[in-house]
Amino acid sequence: MIRTALLLACLAAPAAAQDRAMLENLLRDLDDATDPKVLRAATAACILGEGNADAIAAYFTEAGWTRSDDTEMGMTSLSAPAGSVGVSLYDDGRICDVASEGWGTDTALGALQIASGVAGLGLETLPDSECTALRLTPSVTVEITSTGQDPVCFSENTSALRFTYAAAN
């Protein structure tokens, strides 16, 4: 039985590495924030970063995004050179928020479905949420809403993908 478990673990390792490589491949779309594919690239960055704010920010800055740290608020903001997408990270590693002022919640949900599928992650609906909320892993959930001070569950023009990590990294 132990041999079988070890064999299965060895077989799964290359698949996990391949899933990571596929997610990293999506990151190439971070360099064009005027294309809706930037949402799936940003989603991939949030998944790959696993709640580590500096690791997540590095994906964006390597693609030419501007990083702004607010140590008093404990947040990092990332702005694309063009386009209407921004990312906010809590420095404690609890939140990765991808906000778009150009694409609606349906586009954001599609981006999440593509990136999570590439990563080999299932999406489990969280039953007690008003808006679309999904569990990606036992420690990562994501909620999809509009942007703004009073977000709504559906918007044709704006969207926010808010990744919440159960444990700070």
Side-chain angles (χ1 to χ4, degrees), residues 148-160:
Q149 200 62 9
D150 296 312
V152 295
C153 296
F154 175 79
S155 171
E156 291 183 9
N157 303 315
T158 72
S159 61

Side-chain angles (χ1 to χ4, degrees), residues 22-70:
M22 295 288 287
L23 269 177
E24 289 171 348
N25 192 44
L26 291 180
L27 295 174
R28 73 181 185 280
D29 291 321
L30 284 175
D31 65 358
D32 185 4
T34 63
D35 186 317
K37 289 191 264 184
V38 72
L39 290 178
R40 69 180 180 205
T43 297
C46 291
I47 293 170
L48 286 165
E50 299 175 338
N52 181 319
D54 286 328
I56 295 168
Y59 294 123
F60 291 93
T61 57
E62 288 172 16
W65 291 49
T66 302
R67 178 179 176 156
S68 175
D69 293 300
D70 184 339

